[in-house]
């Protein structure tokens, strides 16, 4: 399975999600390909936000080597599932979908939790604790995603 995570700039939420899932897959010895991207390309080539790196590191997940990139139409071909962080990202990605099959690959990340929370909050403007809260939401969602892979 090939899984892509998408947020706005690919420096906070989606690299944390990628790192979390990659780490959990490694621990469970499950083979899958993961990546992340942003709907905007402002940060292309940059590492994740230092607060995202620090939060992940505290939880045993290293995302420091990841680099931001912009989502592209080819991603629909290259990935089986595309998990987006919020409804704005969802609309941006769906707008680029070449066909209905591609649209069916796109899922709101937190929809797997059935918790009523639709959007992963963007911690960019927040404090360290916001990154911790987002990390936990993403971790819970990644547990569910892994459960569907078995």
């Amino acid at each position: 399975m090939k899984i892509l995570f998408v947020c706005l700039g690919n420096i906070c939420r989606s690299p944390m999600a990628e790192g979390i899932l990659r780490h959990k897959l490694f621990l469970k010895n499950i083979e899958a390909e993961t990546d992340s991207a942003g709907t905007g390309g402002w940060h292309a080539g940059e590492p994740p936000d230092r607060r995202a790196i620090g939060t992940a590191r505290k939880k045993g997940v290293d995302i420091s080597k990841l680099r931001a990139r912009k989502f592209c139409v080819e991603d629909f071909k290259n990935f089986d599932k595309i998990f987006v962080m919020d409804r704005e990202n969802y609309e941006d990605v769906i707008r680029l979908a070449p066909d209905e099959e591609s649209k069916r690959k796109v899922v709101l990340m937190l929809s797997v939790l059935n918790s009523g929370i639709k959007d992963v909050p963007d911690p960019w403007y927040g404090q360290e604790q916001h990154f911790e809260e987002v990390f936990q939401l993403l971790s819970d969602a990644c547990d569910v995603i892994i459960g569907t892979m078995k």
Side-chain angles (χ1 to χ4, degrees), residues 44-65:
E46 294 179 16
D49 182 278
R50 63 174 176 71
R51 297 165 295 175
I53 292 171
T55 298
R57 184 175 288 130
K58 282 191 266 185
K59 306 288 186 176
V61 177
D62 182 10
I63 62 171
S64 63
K65 303 233 182 332

Side-chain angles (χ1 to χ4, degrees), residues 21 79 88 95 108 113 123:
L21 186 65
F79 293 93
E88 184 178 330
R95 207 174 359 265
L108 276 169
L113 294 179

Side-chain angles (χ1 to χ4, degrees), residues 82-95:
I82 301 170
F83 289 97
V84 296
M85 298 299 135
D86 61 38
R87 287 170 281 197
E88 184 178 330
N89 303 146
Y90 180 87
E91 292 301 324
D92 290 342
V93 170
I94 287 292
R95 207 174 359 265

Side-chain angles (χ1 to χ4, degrees), residues 2-144:
K2 295 179 179 182
I3 298 171
L4 179 66
F5 298 100
V6 179
C7 69
L8 184 61
N10 193 210
I11 59 168
C12 293
R13 297 171 291 174
S14 56
M16 283 198 295
E18 177 187 358
I20 292 165
L21 186 65
R22 187 178 288 173
H23 181 72
K24 290 175 181 274
L25 291 170
F26 173 78
L27 293 176
K28 294 184 179 289
N29 199 29
I30 299 172
E31 289 289 323
E33 185 178 318
T34 62
D35 196 3
S36 60
T39 57
W42 318 279
H43 299 288
E46 294 179 16
D49 182 278
R50 63 174 176 71
R51 297 165 295 175
I53 292 171
T55 298
R57 184 175 288 130
K58 282 191 266 185
K59 306 288 186 176
V61 177
D62 182 10
I63 62 171
S64 63
K65 303 233 182 332
L66 299 179
R67 294 296 176 263
R69 72 173 183 85
K70 187 175 180 184
F71 180 85
C72 60
V73 175
E74 291 79 35
D75 288 328
F76 289 109
K77 280 190 312 203
N78 297 331
F79 293 93
D80 302 306
K81 282 284 189 193
I82 301 170
F83 289 97
V84 296
M85 298 299 135
D86 61 38
R87 287 170 281 197
E88 184 178 330
N89 303 146
Y90 180 87
E91 292 301 324
D92 290 342
V93 170
I94 287 292
R95 207 174 359 265
L96 296 173
D99 53 40
E100 291 303 313
E101 180 183 345
S102 296
K103 289 179 181 179
R104 286 191 292 275
K105 293 180 177 187
V106 185
V107 178
L108 276 169
M109 179 75 176
L110 295 186
S111 69
V112 302
L113 294 179
N114 296 316
S115 66
I117 302 172
K118 298 273 189 236
D119 296 339
V120 177
D122 190 343
W124 172 259
Y125 295 105
Q127 303 298 319
E128 204 76 36
Q129 97 182 44
H130 296 108
F131 283 83
E132 300 274 345
E133 293 163 1
V134 166
F135 187 96
Q136 190 58 56
L137 283 171
L138 295 172
S139 182
D140 292 347
C142 284
D143 286 339
V144 174

